[in-house]
Amino acid sequence: MFEFRRFIFNPVQVNCYLLWDETKEALLIDCGALYPHEEEQLKNFVAERGLTIKHYLNTHLHFDHIFGNPFIQHCFGLGYEANDGDISWAEGIAERVQLFGLRYNEKISKPARVLYDGDKVHFGNQTVEVIAVPGHSAGSLAFYLPQQKMVFTGDALFHSSIGRTDLPDSDYLTLIKSIKEKLFTLPDDTRVLPGHSDYTNIGMEKEYNLYVK
């Protein structure tokens, strides 16, 4: 038995994913919870199902994906695991969110574990393969579960779109290279679960995504 649940958090509508299997061990990806009711929603769901979160992963460190990092540390005792190429975004989060009319007073620590291309993360009977997909940000990662035919792409690849490349540390040509060489080489029936918006699959994006031609 393998299950997952998507939560949509904060005004930027970030997809946060909770994955678990029959062992009740779980993995969490990109907790963008900004408000107390969002934190309670996740906390209550975990408690009601008797889950134990073993790892907390960030696809990248743009503020909308890491709002909940201090909450996860406090509530579940878990530091986040991510690439450190985006650490300046985490360290400067208070100043960056002001540009979007938001306030944030928490401090984001350094990653508990720095993840690199080819690393593996284990929970329950599941194995997650780490894939480096820079371009939207320098430290962007995707998380691939081959046994479940699922890849969590953060803001690298969306349904019929790609991540922004007009931000500091982003680069369009680098992102296209990452998508073509790291994501489009996965099986066509691999389900794509992005950082925002709806699900898709690799075959569909290879065929119809006009940004990656």
Side-chain angles (χ1 to χ4, degrees):
M1 179 201 73
F2 176 88
E3 297 184 65
F4 77 94
R5 165 71 185 267
R6 175 177 66 168
F7 302 85
I8 301 176
F9 289 144
N10 75 57
V12 193
Q13 299 284 284
V14 167
N15 289 333
C16 169
Y17 298 101
L18 181 67
L19 294 61
W20 69 96
D21 67 10
E22 63 277 0
T23 68
K24 298 291 187 177
E25 290 189 358
L27 176 140
L28 186 67
I29 299 173
D30 284 354
C31 180
L34 179 60
Y35 305 115
H37 73 272
E38 295 176 332
E39 297 174 352
E40 286 299 309
Q41 183 184 9
L42 176 60
K43 182 179 177 180
N44 291 341
F45 186 92
V46 170
E48 288 167 2
R49 283 156 180 75
L51 304 178
T52 300
I53 302 177
K54 304 298 290 187
H55 295 276
Y56 171 47
L57 311 182
N58 283 128
T59 58
H60 61 300
L61 301 182
H62 288 168
F63 61 81
D64 50 326
H65 293 256
I66 64 173
F67 279 139
N69 286 21
F71 159 68
I72 297 301
Q73 175 72 59
H74 175 75
C75 185
F76 300 106
L78 290 172
Y80 69 95
E81 302 174 39
N83 186 265
D84 58 358
D86 300 335
I87 196 65
S88 64
W89 282 86
E91 292 174 341
I93 186 170
E95 293 76 18
R96 293 183 188 274
V97 300
Q98 288 179 0
L99 300 176
F100 290 80
L102 300 171
R103 295 183 63 185
Y104 189 80
N105 298 319
E106 299 283 353
K107 297 290 186 182
I108 305 294
S109 61
K110 294 186 182 301
R113 175 188 176 187
V114 177
L115 297 175
Y116 300 99
D117 189 65
D119 283 350
K120 291 181 170 57
V121 178
H122 304 279
F123 70 102
N125 295 316
Q126 312 301 314
T127 298
V128 179
E129 298 179 5
V130 178
I131 303 174
V133 287
H136 173 67
S137 74
S140 285
L141 302 173
F143 302 120
Y144 177 46
L145 282 74
Q147 66 272 44
Q148 304 299 339
K149 297 182 178 180
M150 304 169 75
V151 62
F152 297 83
T153 57
D155 289 2
L157 179 65
F158 298 119
H159 188 303
S160 301
S161 189
I162 62 173
R164 292 176 60 175
T165 56
D166 60 340
L167 301 168
D169 304 323
S170 67
D171 182 79
Y172 173 77
L173 292 179
T174 300
L175 178 56
I176 297 302
K177 178 180 173 69
S178 293
I179 293 171
K180 287 184 174 180
E181 296 183 1
K182 296 296 190 69
L183 298 178
F184 281 4
T185 53
L186 300 176
D188 284 354
D189 61 350
T190 302
R191 193 176 192 184
V192 173
L193 298 101
H196 303 270
S197 193
D198 295 328
Y199 310 148
T200 182
N201 64 64
I202 292 296
M204 181 177 294
E205 296 312 307
K206 286 167 65 175
E207 181 71 20
Y208 298 110
N209 194 317
L210 299 179
Y211 292 89
V212 197
K213 293 296 183 183

